[in-house]
Amino acid sequence: MSTPSSLKDLYTDELKDLWSANDQMLRFLKKVEGKATDESLKEMLSNSQEGIAEHTELLKELLTSNGEEVAKEHCKGMAGLTAEAIKHTMEEAPEEGAVLDAVIISQFQRMTHYGIAGFGTAAAYAQALGQDDDYQTLKGAVEDMYGGDEYMSKLAETTVNIKAGDE
């Protein structure tokens, strides 16, 4: 990221950073989906990949509509989160079972919370810049992410964590 000189610069840099974050989370989900044992979790991981791809297209469209180069900037924050997620779900994880599913959910939620913060920040910038269409689009993405996070919490609380406690 170059040194921003305006809120518009911050906004477009955030969009580019989020694109990178999405790509990193998507690669992680593709790796971990096959390790999940709970069918509802597998389905959610698959659906989330579709949602992330849609949000990435949204980011590209926003960059284009703002006259910016359609390019991403490496997101170091998500790089750290994905490194932790790989460590906990692949390197230092049970081979299979509900405990692994619980770990997958926790790592998914950490990355999702990062996305909520980033998309929320971008939405706030868009609103401050008077870009109401961008604001509404980004707020919709935040709502999608909240929905996924809530689903994962419910899945953990009603089945996965209970099963993990029995292992």
Side-chain angles (χ1 to χ4, degrees):
M1 175 165 111
S2 58
T3 303
S5 61
S6 67
L7 185 61
K8 177 79 172 192
D9 289 346
L10 284 174
Y11 175 56
T12 55
D13 284 349
E14 186 70 23
L15 296 176
K16 292 175 181 182
D17 188 75
L18 288 168
W19 178 2
S20 171
N22 274 5
D23 283 356
Q24 291 176 60
M25 185 172 179
L26 185 59
R27 283 193 304 273
F28 168 74
L29 293 180
K30 287 179 179 180
K31 290 178 185 177
V32 79
E33 180 184 7
K35 295 179 76 67
T37 56
D38 183 274
E39 288 304 317
S40 295
L41 176 57
K42 282 184 178 187
E43 184 177 337
M44 181 60 184
L45 294 172
S46 176
N47 292 341
S48 293
Q49 291 174 51
E50 294 170 18
I52 291 169
E54 289 172 13
H55 292 160
T56 299
E57 289 305 311
L58 171 152
L59 293 168
K60 292 175 186 178
E61 290 169 12
L62 291 175
L63 286 166
T64 299
S65 71
N66 280 278
E68 293 294 323
E69 177 187 6
V70 180
K72 60 185 169 184
E73 291 183 9
H74 182 67
C75 177
K76 292 179 183 178
M78 186 59 83
L81 289 170
T82 54
E84 280 292 303
I86 289 168
K87 173 186 166 188
H88 292 296
T89 61
M90 295 177 195
E91 297 168 1
E92 298 175 5
E95 290 293 318
E96 62 180 23
V99 172
L100 177 58
D101 288 346
V103 171
I104 291 169
I105 290 172
S106 70
Q107 298 306 313
F108 174 93
Q109 288 188 294
R110 285 186 177 122
M111 289 185 275
T112 298
H113 293 179
Y114 187 86
I116 290 168
F119 274 80
T121 296
Y125 292 161
Q127 185 178 39
L129 291 165
Q131 296 178 338
D132 294 331
D133 290 343
D134 288 16
Y135 170 74
Q136 293 300 327
T137 299
L138 290 162
K139 285 301 282 183
V142 170
E143 290 170 14
D144 290 346
M145 287 179 243
Y146 270 122
D149 180 57
E150 289 172 4
Y151 180 85
M152 286 297 209
S153 288
K154 183 177 180 180
L155 182 61
E157 293 166 358
T158 60
T159 59
V160 172
N161 290 354
I162 295 167
K163 289 178 186 175
D166 293 337
E167 285 187 1

